[in-house]
Amino acid sequence: MHRRSSSSAFLSGPAFSRALLAASVAVLVGLAGCSQEGDSNSSSATTGTDTAAAPEATQAAPAVVAPTVSATLKRGELMALVFPGWEDKDDSRGGTVQLPDIGNDGKPVKGSEGEQQADITPREVVRLDDTHAVMLTETVPLDDSGQPINSHVSGAWLGAYFFEQGNDGWTLSKRSDGVDYLGFMGNIGQTKVERIAPQRFVLTTTSGSCWQGNCGSWFSVYELGASAVHELVTSIPLSAENGGSDEACESVLSNERPETPARGNCFDVDGTPEFALGTDDEPGEMRIVYSGKQTGRANGRAETVDRTIIYTYRKGSYVPGEGRNPVPGF
């Protein structure tokens, strides 16, 4: 029995060949099944089209090619000339600028100029004559995390970029990334372009903020040239009010008796700048008309403020002449 059983377990001749062929086919079928099952989640990787596309997906994005000329003076087109890749979107307004550091006193540190990343926003574009224009920007440096530095005491840079018109359009001729550092909360404030002569323009800025209910604003003026921007006068006190720090002041300034006496002087004073149009050789004067109310020093009653200060243009600056600024300090 043992020998019969043992001899029946082995095959030879044609029977053996047929058995070997069947076993081989079974193994191949099994391997094919394993391959299909293992690739069922990544079958696209084995197709001819996807195999060719895979190397392209790993290639680096092409560098942004900056335009060298603009057909118009549209802000977005001019910004692209100066800052390649700039777009009018919150997450793509960045650019590289040369700026000094800001010290603990809030002022630029001389000799510390270096390359910085910043958020840059165009504020004004002024065509000075047929072939010259300037774009004014607000520039807020970024911190190490790539976020704008916009704390209460942090201002923003006023930038100026100059353009000339040629046969093909407008090209960048000069740049000044940091004309002046001013404002609060990463903002230079309100800006406006004024004429002081038929062909002479100025940029005005009004920046302000509040501290513990005391609010104020300051006024600056910059003349715009074909290759430079320079200040005519800066940080003129323009307004002040303290109703947020002392509730009694609203009643006091209305000449009413408050339930609780005011803790000190009350004031609400505001100024309005006006520019007279002079000649190109002799620009006109600047006036600031102030109005409002403040308590008098003698009797503590509210007095009406109605005063005008005149500034004369002299040797590239506005020089105060008649009048005294009525805006109180705080």
Side-chain angles (χ1 to χ4, degrees):
M1 293 291 294
H2 177 71
R3 285 192 297 270
R4 188 180 299 122
S5 173
S6 176
S7 61
S8 65
F10 293 92
L11 301 175
S12 61
F16 176 79
S17 298
R18 289 193 299 271
L20 181 61
L21 178 60
S24 299
V25 171
V27 170
L28 291 175
V29 171
L31 290 175
C34 290
S35 177
Q36 291 175 357
E37 182 180 358
D39 292 339
S40 62
N41 293 328
S42 58
S43 59
S44 62
T46 63
T47 63
T49 301
D50 291 322
T51 300
E56 294 181 2
T58 60
Q59 292 178 359
V64 176
V65 179
T68 58
V69 65
S70 173
T72 73
L73 289 175
K74 293 181 179 179
R75 299 182 184 191
E77 294 180 12
L78 296 181
M79 289 294 290
L81 289 183
V82 185
F83 305 103
W86 185 94
E87 294 182 81
D88 191 13
K89 299 179 180 177
D90 290 341
D91 58 349
S92 53
R93 289 181 176 149
T96 302
V97 289
Q98 288 283 337
L99 294 172
D101 295 329
I102 301 299
N104 293 331
D105 59 354
K107 298 180 180 180
V109 179
K110 292 183 178 180
S112 65
E113 289 77 5
E115 188 175 277
Q116 297 185 34
Q117 296 300 309
D119 272 0
I120 306 155
T121 304
R123 279 301 193 94
E124 308 285 350
V125 175
V126 185
R127 185 165 183 166
L128 303 171
D129 54 39
D130 290 342
T131 58
H132 295 90
V134 59
M135 177 174 64
L136 293 312
T137 62
E138 176 183 82
T139 300
V140 183
L142 305 180
D143 61 19
D144 294 337
S145 301
Q147 299 299 313
I149 301 175
N150 57 3
S151 64
H152 192 182
V153 297
S154 299
W157 285 95
L158 173 66
Y161 302 89
F162 305 90
F163 301 89
E164 293 183 354
Q165 187 178 42
N167 293 332
D168 297 327
W170 295 91
T171 57
L172 179 68
S173 59
K174 188 178 179 182
R175 63 188 290 166
S176 179
D177 294 327
V179 173
D180 199 3
Y181 186 77
L182 65 160
F184 307 91
M185 299 292 292
N187 191 294
I188 61 177
Q190 298 176 352
T191 58
K192 187 177 181 181
V193 176
E194 302 272 9
R195 286 182 187 266
I196 58 174
Q199 294 299 321
R200 299 183 73 163
F201 299 86
V202 296
L203 174 79
T204 68
T205 67
T206 304
S207 56
S209 191
C210 298
W211 297 262
Q212 298 179 341
N214 298 287
C215 300
S217 66
W218 291 263
F219 184 70
S220 299
V221 186
Y222 304 85
E223 186 165 10
L224 310 178
S227 61
V229 171
H230 73 272
E231 65 180 49
L232 297 181
V233 65
T234 59
S235 301
I236 298 175
L238 191 63
S239 69
E241 62 94 7
N242 66 341
S245 66
D246 192 338
E247 295 181 356
C249 283
E250 181 177 357
S251 298
V252 170
L253 294 180
S254 299
N255 281 323
E256 299 174 355
R257 184 182 297 276
E259 294 182 3
T260 303
R263 296 189 296 271
N265 288 333
C266 298
F267 47 85
D268 186 357
V269 180
D270 192 15
T272 302
E274 301 173 350
F275 292 88
L277 189 66
T279 65
D280 290 332
D281 292 332
E282 188 176 352
E285 63 188 18
M286 177 181 73
R287 294 171 174 254
I288 303 181
V289 180
Y290 290 94
S291 60
K293 288 187 176 182
Q294 59 184 353
T295 52
R297 297 181 180 180
N299 53 24
R301 291 182 59 81
E303 298 178 350
T304 298
V305 176
D306 184 7
R307 188 176 301 173
T308 299
I309 300 179
I310 299 176
Y311 289 80
T312 304
Y313 188 96
R314 186 183 304 165
K315 295 181 179 180
S317 297
Y318 272 125
V319 180
E322 301 176 20
R324 182 178 64 83
N325 195 317
V327 176
F330 56 85

